[in-house]
Amino acid sequence: MAVDYTVIVVYLAGMLAMGWWGMRRARSKSEFLVAGRRLGPAMYSGTMAAIVLGGASTIGGVGLGYKYGLSGAWMVFTIGLGLLALSVFFSARIARLRVYTVSEMLDLRYGGRAGVISGVVMWAYTLMLAVTSTIAYATIFDVLFDLNRTVAIILGGSIVVAYSTLGGMWSITLTDMVQFVVKTIGVLLLLLPIAVVKAGGFSEMKAKLPTSYFDPLGIGGETIFTYVLIYTFGMLIGQDIWQRVFTARSDRTAKWGGTVSGTYCLAYALAGAVIGTAAKVLYPNLGSADDAFATIVKDELPIGVRGLVLAAALAAVMSTSSGALIACATVANNDIWSRLRGLARRSPDPGEHDEVRGNRLFILIMGLAVIGTAIALNNVVEALTVAYNLLVGGLLVPILGGLLWKRGTVQGALASVIVGGLAVIGLMAAYGILANEPVYYGLLSSLVVYVAVSLATKPTDEAVLATWRERLAGRNPELVSEPVPAHQ
């Protein structure tokens, strides 16, 4: 294992080094939170794919393949579909808004007063998303170093918090590009063909497994529909995803770079399902489907390759964790803390370095909170389900309504967030966290309330809508509060 350990240690050291390098570039709020809004197509595509394909997509995707066969690809497949929909239909407009958070977009569209409440919901989502990624360190470091759960979470979480705090989005972007390359080589180019060959090829896999393992819909229509509601729609509105859209150099980069990322996700989904299916042939009696990834890596891969593939799993977890962490901190600072203190978003800035320090401090605080919460929680699936149910049930309707329906009002948006969020929480308590009903009925109640209250209240002021249209068209740069750093 010495060679494997060396690969992992070099990889982790490289992540910290990039955090230090990124710190030298992040000299303004724009540089720190959205990488100066100047990522080109290649870097944008790689980092977007890295953030959406995390531990759940890698370890969980292989686990679903082990349990259901090729139809286990649907969870990650719907993530790819969501990213494609976001990129083709919405990303160009989102990029032109030149805001930092989803709540700022809601305030701009509805004329203020939607930010704090929507910020709280988005903060809860990003926090739980970061927690689920951090919990996954326990599985990987247990395989690598036989560490106990708490130590593994602290080790993995501390590395992510360190490089994210140092350089913000620049550090995360640089590390995500490395993680994207490592994942591509480790999972798609190495583990996938090796797993298929070890299982005897597709003909042997078909001979040894039930036909349901090769049915594209074997996982069940209701499960697929729920995945679409949670993950496809969740990709359209998550702060972690939007914050990456804000890093694009142009709306064209956001559209076409995101399309490449979404297509990559579809291939990654199929790869995970095939690897899991091969693992079912090799190890038909595993205690847990989620053990399939670690088992096949540990037992079937040669020395050195094993270390690289485990680094790929670590990369998947780290990319999602760091993206969720900076999103959580950005929302906490810009949408909740600053607003509660009565700081106007466009008030004169006391200094870009002060803003960078403030956001850096919030990443550190949120990172410590994430590590502590991850140690206290055990069930990754339940935490992830809570996150996405709150996001979709509380924020999908007012966000898409604001983008697509002129008649939507701030009263309708606020009512939609409150009713949808409370409905999801109440229904999870009644039906269980993993039930499908909370997101179904929560989303329906949010839609009904949004439409009814919007139609019953005064239309949004035309001046607000005019400003909104100007920003969507990218024709009103003087409204963008992004002071130019002194070094540029």
Side-chain angles (χ1 to χ4, degrees), residues 206-259:
K206 287 184 177 180
K208 290 187 176 181
L209 295 174
T211 55
S212 62
Y213 267 71
F214 302 91
D215 180 358
L217 304 178
I219 199 170
E222 184 178 357
T223 299
I224 295 171
F225 180 68
T226 302
Y227 284 159
V228 170
L229 276 186
I230 293 178
Y231 297 115
T232 301
F233 286 125
M235 288 295 107
L236 299 180
I237 59 174
Q239 169 68 24
D240 53 322
I241 309 302
W242 277 41
Q243 200 156 343
R244 292 309 173 96
V245 175
F246 300 151
T247 66
R249 184 167 62 199
S250 65
D251 52 10
R252 182 178 177 84
T253 296
K255 181 176 182 177
W256 296 110
T259 301

Side-chain angles (χ1 to χ4, degrees), residues 361-386:
L361 177 62
F362 265 87
I363 290 180
L364 178 60
I365 294 171
M366 290 299 105
L368 294 175
V370 165
I371 292 173
T373 306
I375 292 171
L377 291 180
N378 287 313
N379 195 311
V380 178
V381 176
E382 288 190 357
L384 192 63
T385 302
V386 169

Side-chain angles (χ1 to χ4, degrees), residues 38 73 170 313 323 327 378 394 410 417 449:
R38 47 198 175 102
W170 266 123
N378 287 313
V410 65
V417 173
V449 169

Side-chain angles (χ1 to χ4, degrees), residues 317-351:
V317 176
M318 283 186 161
S319 56
T320 300
S321 181
S322 59
L325 176 59
I326 194 172
C328 179
T330 303
V331 170
N333 188 17
N334 290 266
D335 293 338
I336 301 175
W337 178 247
S338 292
R339 293 169 191 261
L340 291 178
R341 291 179 60 196
L343 298 178
R345 173 64 183 84
R346 298 185 179 92
S347 61
D349 195 344

Side-chain angles (χ1 to χ4, degrees), residues 137-270:
Y137 294 129
T139 301
I140 298 171
F141 281 110
D142 176 56
V143 175
L144 287 172
F145 306 117
D146 196 26
L147 296 177
N148 72 47
R149 182 178 182 277
T150 299
V151 174
I153 289 173
I154 292 173
L155 175 60
S158 297
I159 293 170
V160 169
V161 171
Y163 73 69
S164 300
T165 301
L166 286 172
M169 187 59 83
W170 266 123
S171 293
I172 292 170
T173 297
L174 294 170
T175 54
D176 278 359
M177 274 306 296
V178 174
Q179 289 158 357
F180 170 74
V181 172
V182 171
K183 276 191 288 193
T184 301
I185 295 173
V187 176
L188 296 183
L189 302 183
L190 292 176
L191 182 58
L192 174 60
I194 290 173
V196 172
V197 170
K198 291 283 187 177
F202 287 103
S203 57
E204 188 71 14
M205 290 161 63
K206 287 184 177 180
K208 290 187 176 181
L209 295 174
T211 55
S212 62
Y213 267 71
F214 302 91
D215 180 358
L217 304 178
I219 199 170
E222 184 178 357
T223 299
I224 295 171
F225 180 68
T226 302
Y227 284 159
V228 170
L229 276 186
I230 293 178
Y231 297 115
T232 301
F233 286 125
M235 288 295 107
L236 299 180
I237 59 174
Q239 169 68 24
D240 53 322
I241 309 302
W242 277 41
Q243 200 156 343
R244 292 309 173 96
V245 175
F246 300 151
T247 66
R249 184 167 62 199
S250 65
D251 52 10
R252 182 178 177 84
T253 296
K255 181 176 182 177
W256 296 110
T259 301
V260 171
S261 300
T263 305
Y264 178 90
C265 291
L266 302 184
Y268 200 88
L270 184 59

